[in-house]
Amino acid sequence: AQSPRVRVLFIGDVVGSAGRRVVEEMLPGLRESERPDFVVVNGENASGGAGITEKVAKAIFAAGADAITLGNHAFRHRDVYQYLEREARIVRPSNYPMAAPGRGHTVVESDGQRLAVVNISGMVFLDAARSPFAEADAVLGELRDRADHVLVDFHAEATSEKVAMGRLLDGRVTAVLGTHTHVQTSDAAVLPGGTAYITDAGMSGPHDSVIGVRAELILRRFQTGLPVRFEPAEGGVRIEGAVIECDAATGRAQSIAAFRLTDAS
């Protein structure tokens, strides 16, 4: 007999109030239709288009998230620092300085299954304290025997860096899911060693925009070279992400499917 399956629903970068609204409106229905054992949400841009606050994080948890991952804007809002220390279910990149607030990985449980959620930042066009590749090895060492499944949110700019991380961790983790670029890629696959992979899970928020920001503001920046205050857009709202199914006994992925759903409201 086949061992039971574990399903993980991952939601790509939530951007601004439109992204928060679509998650709050659609996640309960997704929990019913997809019946995931775990829901992980990247909340990196959930507050004002950059960073997260305690209030917004609590709203995402209330909507049905089991864990929240972040990225390069993790420390944008100072009021979240103490929350990152206090709340174990929200993680920022583990290869940030050790003295920085928060933690880089967490373990959440559901029906006796333990899912480790790891957040790592890339270093190509982004700043981090330590190599993401060395960090991934170190974190897996720390998590040994503490989790049945491991999901890595690799928050990185360069596609090559993300693909390389997938290959490094193939057969060692359940999933490597890229975030940060806000453009969902069409390369979702289970790698040869049994790790689910996608270069970018996409963006949950306003797609009538330039990666979530009002297009006219981005255009002004590109056309003039002058500093422009970015504001989240509002239109074309949809939720994007991926559903991973894995073997409960081995933690190996059996399938990954990207999804994209338009907000009906």
Short mmCIF file of all heavy atoms in Angstrom, two decimals, residues 6-37:
data_model
loop_
_atom_site.label_atom_id
_atom_site.label_comp_id
_atom_site.label_asym_id
_atom_site.label_seq_id
_atom_site.Cartn_x
_atom_site.Cartn_y
_atom_site.Cartn_z
N VAL A 6 1.36 13.99 1.94
CA VAL A 6 1.28 15.27 2.65
C VAL A 6 1.24 16.37 1.60
O VAL A 6 2.03 16.36 0.64
CB VAL A 6 2.49 15.46 3.60
CG1 VAL A 6 2.54 16.87 4.15
CG2 VAL A 6 2.42 14.46 4.75
N ARG A 7 0.30 17.30 1.76
CA ARG A 7 0.15 18.39 0.78
C ARG A 7 0.53 19.73 1.41
O ARG A 7 0.11 20.04 2.53
CB ARG A 7 -1.30 18.45 0.28
CG ARG A 7 -1.64 17.31 -0.65
CD ARG A 7 -3.12 17.26 -0.95
NE ARG A 7 -3.60 18.37 -1.76
CZ ARG A 7 -3.47 18.45 -3.10
NH1 ARG A 7 -2.85 17.51 -3.76
NH2 ARG A 7 -3.97 19.48 -3.75
N VAL A 8 1.32 20.49 0.67
CA VAL A 8 1.74 21.81 1.11
C VAL A 8 1.29 22.83 0.08
O VAL A 8 1.56 22.69 -1.12
CB VAL A 8 3.27 21.90 1.29
CG1 VAL A 8 3.67 23.29 1.78
CG2 VAL A 8 3.78 20.83 2.25
N LEU A 9 0.58 23.86 0.55
CA LEU A 9 0.16 24.96 -0.31
C LEU A 9 1.06 26.14 -0.02
O LEU A 9 1.17 26.59 1.13
CB LEU A 9 -1.30 25.32 0.00
CG LEU A 9 -1.89 26.54 -0.71
CD1 LEU A 9 -2.12 26.25 -2.18
CD2 LEU A 9 -3.20 26.97 -0.06
N PHE A 10 1.74 26.62 -1.06
CA PHE A 10 2.65 27.77 -0.90
C PHE A 10 2.09 28.94 -1.69
O PHE A 10 1.73 28.80 -2.86
CB PHE A 10 4.05 27.43 -1.40
CG PHE A 10 5.04 28.54 -1.20
CD1 PHE A 10 5.71 28.68 0.02
CD2 PHE A 10 5.31 29.45 -2.21
CE1 PHE A 10 6.62 29.71 0.22
CE2 PHE A 10 6.22 30.49 -2.02
CZ PHE A 10 6.88 30.62 -0.80
N ILE A 11 2.03 30.11 -1.06
CA ILE A 11 1.51 31.31 -1.72
C ILE A 11 2.66 32.29 -1.96
O ILE A 11 3.38 32.66 -1.02
CB ILE A 11 0.38 31.94 -0.88
CG1 ILE A 11 -0.83 31.00 -0.90
CG2 ILE A 11 0.00 33.32 -1.41
CD1 ILE A 11 -1.99 31.45 -0.07
N GLY A 12 2.82 32.69 -3.23
CA GLY A 12 3.91 33.60 -3.61
C GLY A 12 3.70 35.00 -3.09
O GLY A 12 2.58 35.39 -2.70
N ASP A 13 4.78 35.78 -3.10
CA ASP A 13 4.88 37.10 -2.49
C ASP A 13 3.57 37.90 -2.47
O ASP A 13 3.04 38.26 -3.51
CB ASP A 13 5.91 37.95 -3.24
CG ASP A 13 7.29 37.31 -3.33
OD1 ASP A 13 7.34 36.10 -3.60
OD2 ASP A 13 8.29 38.02 -3.16
N VAL A 14 3.10 38.17 -1.26
CA VAL A 14 1.89 38.97 -1.06
C VAL A 14 2.29 40.44 -1.12
O VAL A 14 3.17 40.89 -0.39
CB VAL A 14 1.23 38.64 0.29
CG1 VAL A 14 0.04 39.56 0.55
CG2 VAL A 14 0.82 37.18 0.34
N VAL A 15 1.64 41.21 -2.03
CA VAL A 15 2.03 42.61 -2.24
C VAL A 15 0.90 43.56 -1.88
O VAL A 15 -0.18 43.52 -2.50
CB VAL A 15 2.48 42.84 -3.70
CG1 VAL A 15 2.81 44.31 -3.92
CG2 VAL A 15 3.69 41.97 -4.02
N GLY A 16 1.15 44.40 -0.88
CA GLY A 16 0.25 45.50 -0.54
C GLY A 16 -1.12 45.07 -0.06
O GLY A 16 -1.40 43.89 0.18
N SER A 17 -2.00 46.06 0.07
CA SER A 17 -3.35 45.79 0.59
C SER A 17 -4.15 44.90 -0.35
O SER A 17 -4.95 44.08 0.09
CB SER A 17 -4.09 47.11 0.85
OG SER A 17 -4.17 47.86 -0.34
N ALA A 18 -3.91 45.04 -1.68
CA ALA A 18 -4.62 44.19 -2.64
C ALA A 18 -4.22 42.74 -2.46
O ALA A 18 -5.06 41.82 -2.53
CB ALA A 18 -4.34 44.65 -4.07
N GLY A 19 -2.93 42.49 -2.21
CA GLY A 19 -2.46 41.13 -1.98
C GLY A 19 -3.00 40.55 -0.69
O GLY A 19 -3.41 39.39 -0.64
N ARG A 20 -3.02 41.38 0.34
CA ARG A 20 -3.58 40.92 1.62
C ARG A 20 -5.05 40.54 1.45
O ARG A 20 -5.51 39.52 1.96
CB ARG A 20 -3.45 42.00 2.69
CG ARG A 20 -2.03 42.38 3.02
CD ARG A 20 -1.94 43.06 4.36
NE ARG A 20 -2.81 44.21 4.54
CZ ARG A 20 -2.48 45.46 4.22
NH1 ARG A 20 -1.31 45.72 3.67
NH2 ARG A 20 -3.32 46.46 4.47
N ARG A 21 -5.78 41.39 0.73
CA ARG A 21 -7.22 41.15 0.55
C ARG A 21 -7.45 39.83 -0.19
O ARG A 21 -8.32 39.03 0.20
CB ARG A 21 -7.85 42.30 -0.22
CG ARG A 21 -9.39 42.22 -0.25
CD ARG A 21 -9.99 43.27 -1.15
NE ARG A 21 -9.84 42.91 -2.56
CZ ARG A 21 -9.15 43.64 -3.44
NH1 ARG A 21 -8.54 44.76 -3.07
NH2 ARG A 21 -9.05 43.25 -4.70
N VAL A 22 -6.68 39.59 -1.25
CA VAL A 22 -6.92 38.38 -2.05
C VAL A 22 -6.58 37.13 -1.24
O VAL A 22 -7.25 36.10 -1.34
CB VAL A 22 -6.18 38.44 -3.40
CG1 VAL A 22 -4.69 38.21 -3.28
CG2 VAL A 22 -6.77 37.42 -4.38
N VAL A 23 -5.57 37.22 -0.38
CA VAL A 23 -5.23 36.07 0.47
C VAL A 23 -6.33 35.84 1.51
O VAL A 23 -6.78 34.71 1.72
CB VAL A 23 -3.86 36.29 1.14
CG1 VAL A 23 -3.63 35.26 2.25
CG2 VAL A 23 -2.74 36.19 0.10
N GLU A 24 -6.79 36.92 2.13
CA GLU A 24 -7.83 36.79 3.14
C GLU A 24 -9.14 36.26 2.53
O GLU A 24 -9.85 35.47 3.16
CB GLU A 24 -8.07 38.12 3.85
CG GLU A 24 -6.92 38.49 4.79
CD GLU A 24 -7.04 39.91 5.35
OE1 GLU A 24 -8.15 40.46 5.33
OE2 GLU A 24 -6.01 40.44 5.81
N GLU A 25 -9.41 36.66 1.28
CA GLU A 25 -10.66 36.23 0.63
C GLU A 25 -10.57 34.81 0.09
O GLU A 25 -11.54 34.05 0.16
CB GLU A 25 -11.02 37.18 -0.52
CG GLU A 25 -11.54 38.52 -0.05
CD GLU A 25 -11.81 39.48 -1.21
OE1 GLU A 25 -11.67 39.05 -2.38
OE2 GLU A 25 -12.14 40.64 -0.95
N MET A 26 -9.40 34.43 -0.46
CA MET A 26 -9.32 33.18 -1.22
C MET A 26 -8.66 32.02 -0.47
O MET A 26 -8.89 30.86 -0.82
CB MET A 26 -8.60 33.42 -2.55
CG MET A 26 -9.33 34.41 -3.44
SD MET A 26 -8.62 34.56 -5.09
CE MET A 26 -9.25 33.09 -5.88
N LEU A 27 -7.86 32.31 0.55
CA LEU A 27 -7.16 31.22 1.23
C LEU A 27 -8.12 30.25 1.92
O LEU A 27 -7.91 29.03 1.83
CB LEU A 27 -6.11 31.77 2.20
CG LEU A 27 -5.28 30.73 2.95
CD1 LEU A 27 -4.68 29.70 1.99
CD2 LEU A 27 -4.18 31.41 3.77
N PRO A 28 -9.17 30.72 2.60
CA PRO A 28 -10.08 29.74 3.21
C PRO A 28 -10.67 28.77 2.19
O PRO A 28 -10.75 27.56 2.45
CB PRO A 28 -11.16 30.63 3.84
CG PRO A 28 -10.45 31.92 4.14
CD PRO A 28 -9.51 32.11 2.98
N GLY A 29 -11.03 29.27 1.01
CA GLY A 29 -11.56 28.40 -0.05
C GLY A 29 -10.50 27.44 -0.58
O GLY A 29 -10.79 26.27 -0.87
N LEU A 30 -9.27 27.93 -0.71
CA LEU A 30 -8.17 27.06 -1.16
C LEU A 30 -7.90 25.96 -0.14
O LEU A 30 -7.57 24.83 -0.51
CB LEU A 30 -6.90 27.90 -1.38
CG LEU A 30 -6.79 28.62 -2.72
CD1 LEU A 30 -5.64 29.61 -2.69
CD2 LEU A 30 -6.59 27.61 -3.85
N ARG A 31 -8.05 26.30 1.14
CA ARG A 31 -7.84 25.27 2.17
C ARG A 31 -8.90 24.17 2.01
O ARG A 31 -8.60 22.99 2.22
CB ARG A 31 -7.91 25.87 3.57
CG ARG A 31 -6.64 26.62 3.97
CD ARG A 31 -6.47 26.69 5.48
NE ARG A 31 -5.89 25.45 5.97
CZ ARG A 31 -4.76 25.34 6.68
NH1 ARG A 31 -4.06 26.40 6.98
NH2 ARG A 31 -4.32 24.17 7.07
N GLU A 32 -10.10 24.56 1.62
CA GLU A 32 -11.17 23.57 1.43
C GLU A 32 -10.96 22.75 0.17
O GLU A 32 -11.11 21.53 0.17
CB GLU A 32 -12.53 24.27 1.36
CG GLU A 32 -13.14 24.54 2.73
CD GLU A 32 -14.56 25.08 2.63
OE1 GLU A 32 -15.31 24.65 1.73
OE2 GLU A 32 -14.90 25.93 3.46
N SER A 33 -10.62 23.42 -0.95
CA SER A 33 -10.53 22.71 -2.23
C SER A 33 -9.24 21.89 -2.35
O SER A 33 -9.26 20.77 -2.87
CB SER A 33 -10.62 23.70 -3.40
OG SER A 33 -9.55 24.63 -3.35
N GLU A 34 -8.15 22.42 -1.87
CA GLU A 34 -6.86 21.72 -2.02
C GLU A 34 -6.55 20.80 -0.84
O GLU A 34 -5.67 19.94 -0.94
CB GLU A 34 -5.73 22.74 -2.17
CG GLU A 34 -5.82 23.59 -3.44
CD GLU A 34 -5.67 22.76 -4.70
OE1 GLU A 34 -5.02 21.68 -4.66
OE2 GLU A 34 -6.20 23.18 -5.75
N ARG A 35 -7.23 21.01 0.28
CA ARG A 35 -7.03 20.23 1.49
C ARG A 35 -5.55 20.08 1.86
O ARG A 35 -5.05 18.96 2.04
CB ARG A 35 -7.69 18.85 1.37
CG ARG A 35 -9.16 18.92 0.96
CD ARG A 35 -10.00 17.75 1.38
NE ARG A 35 -10.22 17.65 2.81
CZ ARG A 35 -11.06 18.43 3.48
NH1 ARG A 35 -11.74 19.37 2.86
NH2 ARG A 35 -11.21 18.28 4.78
N PRO A 36 -4.82 21.19 1.97
CA PRO A 36 -3.41 21.09 2.32
C PRO A 36 -3.24 20.76 3.81
O PRO A 36 -4.07 21.12 4.65
CB PRO A 36 -2.87 22.50 2.03
CG PRO A 36 -4.05 23.39 2.25
CD PRO A 36 -5.25 22.59 1.80
N ASP A 37 -2.15 20.06 4.10
CA ASP A 37 -1.79 19.82 5.50
C ASP A 37 -1.08 21.05 6.07
O ASP A 37 -1.14 21.30 7.27
CB ASP A 37 -0.86 18.60 5.59
CG ASP A 37 -1.56 17.34 5.10
OD1 ASP A 37 -2.35 16.78 5.88
OD2 ASP A 37 -1.34 16.95 3.94
#
